[in-house]
């Protein structure tokens, strides 16, 4: 594997860690709020951000998977 590909994978994994941490933080904050019977602006904002982070995380993981397949199609190293 060349250095550029290795660096890209490392950077992508770092982004996954940051997004995953943010998603967990948002999940904890949502759990502390009252249930969504009467949705508050704070809850609506947190739920929107949680959904955005979840989508970003899924897209990033898909990118990593595609990169791995293109670099190591037989999964011998990655």
């Amino acid at each position: 594997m060349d250095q550029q590909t290795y660096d890209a994978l490392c950077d992508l994994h770092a982004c996954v860690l940051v997004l995953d941490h943010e998603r967990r933080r948002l999940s904890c904050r949502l759990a502390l709020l009252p249930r969504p019977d009467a949705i508050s602006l704070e809850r609506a904002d947190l739920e929107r951000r949680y959904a955005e982070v979840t989508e970003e995380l899924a897209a990033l993981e898909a990118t990593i998977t595609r990169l791995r397949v293109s670099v190591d199609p037989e999964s011998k190293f990655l």
Side-chain angles (χ1 to χ4, degrees):
M1 177 183 334
D2 63 36
Q3 188 64 41
Q4 186 178 11
T5 302
Y6 178 80
D7 291 344
L9 282 170
C10 288
D11 290 346
L12 289 170
H13 277 56
C15 290
V16 166
L17 292 174
V18 170
L19 285 172
D20 188 54
H21 175 74
E22 177 65 4
R23 189 172 59 123
R24 290 171 191 256
R25 187 186 71 78
L26 290 167
S27 179
C28 289
R29 287 190 58 201
L30 280 167
L32 295 174
L33 291 175
R35 297 308 312 155
D37 306 345
I39 295 181
S40 69
L41 288 177
E42 181 183 13
R43 181 174 198 87
D45 186 48
L46 288 174
E47 287 178 346
R48 178 192 54 75
R49 181 68 184 134
Y50 182 84
E52 288 173 358
V53 169
T54 299
E55 286 178 25
E56 289 175 29
L57 190 55
L60 193 52
E61 289 171 339
T63 299
I64 291 170
T65 299
R66 286 191 305 273
L67 183 56
R68 282 182 172 162
V69 167
S70 71
V71 171
D72 185 18
E74 296 176 9
S75 296
K76 289 184 179 180
F77 306 103
L78 298 175

